[in-house]
Amino acid sequence: MRACCFYDRRLLPGQGFEELAGAHLTRSGLAACSVERPGLSVSPLVHPPGFRLSGSAGYESRHVAASVAAALAGASAEHVTLDLSGVEHLDVATLADIAQAALRRPSGTRVRLTRVPPMLQRMLELFPELGAGMEVTRR
């Protein structure tokens, strides 16, 4: 069984969050989540043009996700790559923002997703409409 949990870490005291997080498995399936898990960060890619996402995307990083979406939608390069190799967690709302931005691209070309973690590949399988403006590559 798999499930997605939605809670705002800002509303939980450290001890309460540790107890809640202890009930969850990380991507490796063995260790408990950490309060120290980094928020979502973005760094530019030069070759190919695009962005690399790192960390965890959730409610607390909505502003970062919105910035990524705006940058993807407005990027002047014909082909834009989104490297997801550093992503620990990406909520479905962030994926939806990225998908909508990909559809708004002026060139009409798909956003290339590289190094997509298995959990995100699964989300794209579960919600195929989110992948309409994106292309998952093997690089």
Side-chain angles (χ1 to χ4, degrees):
M1 178 189 296
R2 293 180 187 240
C4 293
C5 296
F6 299 94
Y7 49 84
D8 188 343
R9 288 190 283 179
R10 298 173 301 167
L11 301 177
L12 296 170
Q15 175 83 21
F17 180 78
E18 284 296 335
E19 290 174 16
L20 181 62
H24 295 75
L25 299 177
T26 64
R27 228 169 66 182
S28 69
L30 299 173
C33 300
S34 168
V35 172
E36 301 303 318
R37 183 169 66 181
L40 185 65
S41 65
V42 183
S43 51
L45 296 175
V46 177
H47 264 307
F51 307 96
R52 181 176 190 272
L53 298 184
S54 300
S56 177
Y59 179 81
E60 64 278 358
S61 62
R62 297 296 301 145
H63 62 289
V64 177
S67 296
V68 170
L72 284 174
S76 60
E78 182 178 357
H79 297 284
V80 177
T81 296
L82 192 58
D83 179 345
L84 302 174
S85 60
V87 171
E88 293 178 21
H89 169 77
L90 193 75
D91 67 353
V92 74
T94 300
L95 183 58
D97 286 349
I98 291 169
Q100 290 172 357
L103 292 173
R104 293 193 315 265
R105 297 216 2 94
S107 66
T109 59
R110 294 175 171 222
V111 170
R112 293 178 178 159
L113 301 180
T114 63
R115 301 179 190 158
V116 179
M119 56 135 179
L120 288 177
Q121 289 179 356
R122 182 67 179 138
M123 284 173 65
L124 289 169
E125 290 170 8
L126 291 171
F127 304 101
E129 64 278 9
L130 295 178
M134 297 184 284
E135 169 189 349
V136 177
T137 64
R138 294 193 154 245
R139 301 191 268 136

